[in-house]
Amino acid sequence: QKEVEQDPGPLSVPEGAIVSLNCTYSNSAFQYFMWYRQYSRKGPELLMYTYSSGNKEDGRFTAQVDKSSKYISLFIRDSQPSDSATYLCAMSLSGAGSYQLTFGKGTKLSVIP
Amino acid sequence: NAGVMQNPRHLVRRRGQEARLRCSPMKGHSHVYWYRQLPEEGLKFMVYLQKENIIDESGMPKERFSAEFPKEGPSILRIQQVVRGDSAAYFCASSPRGQVGAGNTIYFGEGSWLTVV
C-alpha cells in the first residue's frame, strides 16, 4: 500500500463546476497537509496548507482534512479554464523530519470553457 | 522577490556523461531540497541540505548521485555516468526553516528536465 493515494484522473469538468480532488494516506503520523498546483512543464505551486483536521478556505479553494479517515480534499468553486493543471497533494510529519514531503501522483484536471 | 531559480531548464546528456543541475534558493531561505519526478510518478524526496551541510540524503540513489550546497553559490545536484533511467524532472525547493509548520512552507522552482539519450 502506497503512503499516499491519489486518483490520477484525468478529470474533465465544464467551466463553473465545483471540483473535488481527494487523497487518502496510510501514515497516521502525518500532521501537515498541502495542495500544490502544477502546470505542464512547470514547478509545483503551493495552493493551500493546513495543519491537522479541519477546513481552510482561500478564495475559490477549500481544503479539508479528516484525520480519522486519513482523507484530505481540495474543493474548487466556480472552476475556470485557468484551473486546468495537475493537482498534487502532499503531507509531512510534525517536528523532526517534517521537511520531507510525501506526494500523491497528482490528479490532472481539465476545465472546459 | 525572485523565486527558486533552477538551471538549466532542459538538459540533454548521452549515456555515461555527467549532469549538473543548479539551484539558487529564494532570498532569505537557507534550506534546500531536491525532488525527482519520474514520468507518470509523483515527486520523490531526494536530499535536504543547509549551507555546507547535507542533513538528509535518504532519498538519493546510493551511487552516481551527489549534492552540495556550498557557503557561496547555488546548490548543485550532480549525476555521474547518467543512464536512461535518470531521465526525469528534477525540482529544487527551499524554505526559511527546516521544519514545515506555521509560517514555514516549502517553495519549488520550475524544474530541470534531464533527458538521457
Side-chain angles (χ1 to χ4, degrees), chain B residues 42-98:
Chain B
L43 284 140
K44 301 290 186 188
F45 170 82
M46 298 181 75
V47 62
Y48 162 40
L49 311 104
Q50 293 180 35
K51 283 287 187 182
E52 300 185 275
N53 290 302
I54 297 174
I55 307 301
D56 180 355
E57 56 182 348
S58 60
M60 290 274 273
K62 297 299 179 205
E63 298 177 348
R64 302 186 298 106
F65 285 72
S66 63
E68 63 178 16
F69 189 15
K71 187 176 180 181
E72 301 291 337
S75 175
I76 306 286
L77 180 67
R78 182 184 179 201
I79 312 171
Q80 294 178 289
Q81 299 174 325
V82 296
V83 300
R84 288 232 171 100
D86 296 333
S87 296
Y90 293 83
F91 290 96
C92 175
S94 73
S95 65
R97 296 186 299 280

Side-chain angles (χ1 to χ4, degrees), chain A residues 36 41-43 49 98-99 101, chain B residues 35 56 98-101 106 113:
Chain A
Y36 284 84
R41 306 291 284 185
K42 297 289 187 181
Y49 158 80
S98 68
Y99 52 80
L101 301 182
Chain B
Y35 283 75
D56 180 355
Q99 291 186 6
V100 172
I106 294 175
W113 266 259

Side-chain angles (χ1 to χ4, degrees), chain A residues 1-7 22-26 89 104-105:
Chain A
Q1 181 187 13
K2 290 190 181 296
E3 273 199 296
V4 179
E5 299 272 6
Q6 185 176 8
D7 186 340
N22 311 294
C23 288
T24 59
Y25 62 95
S26 58
C89 64
K105 286 190 177 183

Side-chain angles (χ1 to χ4, degrees), chain A residues 6-54:
Chain A
Q6 185 176 8
D7 186 340
L11 180 63
S12 185
V13 301
E15 183 175 354
I18 296 175
V19 176
S20 173
L21 304 166
N22 311 294
C23 288
T24 59
Y25 62 95
S26 58
N27 188 348
S28 58
F30 285 136
Q31 295 288 333
Y32 295 100
F33 304 91
M34 287 138 279
W35 286 95
Y36 284 84
R37 177 175 62 195
Q38 186 177 23
Y39 293 111
S40 180
R41 306 291 284 185
K42 297 289 187 181
E45 171 194 7
L46 180 66
L47 276 179
M48 298 285 287
Y49 158 80
T50 54
Y51 169 69
S52 198
S53 285

